[in-house]
Amino acid sequence: APERNDVQAPPPQETPQGSAVRPEYPTPQRLFDLQGVWADDKEGTPVGQIQGGCVVWHPSFNCRPTKLHETPGGVEMEMEGKIYTATVQVGQE
């Protein structure tokens, strides 16, 4: 199984360039603070990296970064016409 540290992404302070879906500036602090590697819970394989208000997908997905939107208590993103939501729990892994 691939290691979680093989996710390649720009430094957290940079929003991916060349993305039509990058967040408006300034990125809300809450979204900027939401950073880290996203790995599949069951397999432990990398999905992507959350940084700069976007999900930067693992290269195996062959996808452009996806913009995150702040919601009360969490975040959401739109992919392929569907809205996906997540709850943010501060201090949780």
Side-chain angles (χ1 to χ4, degrees):
E3 292 185 37
R4 291 183 184 193
N5 63 359
D6 67 349
V7 175
Q8 299 296 314
Q13 66 273 17
E14 295 180 20
T15 299
Q17 298 302 309
S19 172
V21 292
R22 69 178 170 261
E24 300 84 17
Y25 289 93
T27 299
Q29 187 64 44
R30 182 176 161 136
L31 289 180
F32 188 78
D33 290 343
L34 185 63
Q35 298 181 46
V37 173
W38 176 6
D40 179 274
D41 287 336
K42 292 180 184 175
E43 303 292 324
T45 56
V47 174
Q49 178 135 357
I50 301 169
Q51 62 184 45
C54 291
V55 176
V56 179
W57 300 99
H58 186 270
S60 64
F61 288 93
N62 197 27
C63 291
R64 296 178 72 171
T66 302
K67 179 179 174 178
L68 295 174
H69 299 275
E70 190 172 19
T71 64
V75 294
E76 68 181 19
M77 67 179 176
E78 181 180 348
M79 279 195 69
E80 299 178 354
K82 292 185 178 182
I83 302 291
Y84 298 88
T85 61
T87 301
V88 176
Q89 296 177 321
V90 178
Q92 300 292 316
E93 289 187 27

